Amino acid sequence: MSVTQSSIHPPIQSSPFIAANDRINTMAHTASTPSEQAAQWPLETLRHTAAHVMAHAVLRLFPGAKLDIGPAIAEGFYYDFDLPQPISEDDLPRIEAEMRRIIKEDLPLSRVELPHDEAVRRLEQAGQAYKVARLNGEIADATVSVYEQGDFFDLCRGPHLPSTGAVRAFKLLSIAGAYWRGDERNPMLTRIYGTAFPTQQELEEHLRLLEEAKRRDHRKLGKDLDLFSLHDEGPGFPLFHPKGMVVWNELMAFWNQLHDQHGYVQLRTPILLRKACWEQSGHWEHYRDKMYATSIDEEEYAVKPMNCVGAMLYYRSRLHSYRELPMRIAEVGVVHRHEKSGELHGLLRVRQFTQDDAHIFMTPEQIRDEVLGVMSLVDTAYSTFGLPYHLELSTRPPKSIGSNEAWAAATAGLRAALDAKGLPYKVNEGEGAFYGPKIDFHVRDALGRTWQCATIQLDFAMPEKFDLTYVGADNQRHRPVMIHRVVYGAIERFIAVLIEHFAGAFPLWLAPEQVRVAPIAEAQAPYAAEVHRALAQAGVRAALDARSEKIGHKIREATLEKVPYVAVVGPRELAARAVAVRKRGEGDLGSCPLADFVERVRREIALKAR
Ligand SMILES: [Zn+2]
Ligand SMILES: [Zn+2]
């Protein structure tokens, strides 16, 4: 059922505050210099140790600060504090300076095992109420470990670097509010984010990528390029502007073409359905927190959070023969899910989005080929955008429905498809949905970040719940197997990924404006209008800049707006019925006969050239 929850929201790095094992204490310490030491340990260990150093520094600077947790995360580390006074990012250099002192002191981190009650006593004495609460809550072990560095100690399972001196290249990055245990009824703590690397060079490269990510932020570029906007009047409900709609429509035209080629039909199912329907599907029981509801004629209705139910109603609307299977039924459907306001983020995390969904109904024997078909469709789509990807297979979780045979058959079907494809894939044991295993596609963007977009999920539950059947060759009724799948995931989110991947410089076929025609002087205005018309007639999105601005200014503006081509028209071009071509990223390509230029642009668009 939750085909898309994961595809919409990138998985959040799990951040247990206590790392799982203690290998560091059993490893031989042979490295001689601190940076060699740092390079020897897993990055996680280095970063978590940096978090300890930061906590130590914060305690020195803000006596009375209370500590919660300080895990390593994908990009660095953080620590949550309850501080005696509010701080801002202006305080970060001061904390960094104190951290450098602690690193210079080269304090050994030593592990002390304490009986549970003694650890509680010691932390109570130190006024560390959050640590005490965690000890009295989720940490029930008879003995717990405390790590000491100089006068600082912290409840922690380790591992850490042997001494603070081994932390070399680090930087504190930002401050955010974070509710204790992520619950908004709890006090708001101050979270300080930082990162650390074995070498200064790696740190600098990472900081450069962070800067680049800021420059490419889709919220900023979406505004600069006039693609979409976000309004207080509807938090989480993005508004697409005309230029954004051009990108949207091009994506969908490509999508429609691909799905026609792959034998899909399309539905448009209702946004609102009776509550009873959502009870039957199980959404009301399992997903209600995320659903919007209303009443019509004093009866309860709910807004769809997924498109599945409509597809079930369609399938069930008449009897099916095995000869009709597989049935590939797509729906580009608008869904709504309630997200907490603090978690909304541009187009990446929204409350209304459009899934490029499809449900495939088939016999169990058809699983492998159908999965291969979806994989080939996804591959065509992503390679068109130049997005490399990797695959992950998630298998049966501990809590699940369906028989062992059904799970075995479904998982074997997915594996057979993956093996037939010959691509490497990662297996996430026990991380499938409770109703079936799945394959996820993780694309890698130009900055090396990964985004989960497409997903293929097998489902046993829904056909059961809606009593879907087909008549087999034996004239008996059988239960079809079902796939939920998306290719882009959510159109809104995919556009955000594309904006950041291309830094707003969309490939020609997606660009809201493909060619800007710019006459140098008034005398070429009529010919420039003719150039504009010729392009428009060839189906090219062209605009004419007939203002009496200097040509350099016109070109600069077109460059800022990331228009792929500028066709400059001066006296020589007029005389030769040509245009002087400037290409984004390549500069001046020289003069080109008008007819050839139109043909060149038309061909590049048709080829979806990048
Ligand atoms: Zn620790
Ligand atoms: Zn579905």
Side-chain angles (χ1 to χ4, degrees), residues 52 132 182 192 262 295 585:
H52 273 248
V132 171
I192 305 179
H262 283 257
S295 65

Side-chain angles (χ1 to χ4, degrees), residues 364-373 375 393 408-423 425 439 458:
E365 297 73 44
Q366 290 168 334
I367 293 176
R368 176 181 168 278
D369 284 355
E370 280 311 298
V371 172
L372 272 174
M375 287 170 78
L393 169 68
T411 310
L414 291 184
R415 274 187 196 276
L418 285 164
D419 293 338
K421 199 83 188 160
L423 295 171
Y425 59 91
I439 296 174
L458 280 175

Side-chain angles (χ1 to χ4, degrees), residues 380-395:
T380 308
Y382 290 177
S383 56
T384 302
F385 300 102
L387 287 168
Y389 61 87
H390 77 268
L391 299 162
E392 298 189 5
L393 169 68
S394 298
T395 61

Side-chain angles (χ1 to χ4, degrees), residues 3 308 359 484:
V3 159
C308 325
H359 296 94
H484 313 252

Side-chain angles (χ1 to χ4, degrees), residues 100-162:
R100 273 190 288 275
R101 267 191 285 277
I102 294 165
I103 290 165
K104 202 158 167 226
E105 289 163 23
D106 198 13
L107 306 167
L109 279 96
S110 50
R111 179 188 171 99
V112 184
E113 303 262 352
L114 296 175
H116 192 279
D117 55 348
E118 198 184 326
V120 170
R121 217 169 19 249
R122 210 173 144 184
L123 286 157
E124 268 173 358
Q125 262 170 22
Q128 293 298 342
Y130 297 93
K131 297 276 184 192
V132 171
R134 294 215 181 242
L135 269 178
N136 290 334
E138 65 264 39
I139 307 171
D141 314 56
T143 38
V144 295
S145 57
V146 163
Y147 278 80
E148 296 178 333
Q149 61 193 51
D151 57 349
F152 171 79
F153 72 98
D154 197 358
L155 171 70
C156 189
R157 198 172 288 169
H160 306 94
L161 302 186

Side-chain angles (χ1 to χ4, degrees), residues 362-368 409 470 479-481:
M362 62 201 165
T363 69
E365 297 73 44
Q366 290 168 334
I367 293 176
R368 176 181 168 278
Y470 64 91
R479 190 76 74 209
V481 182

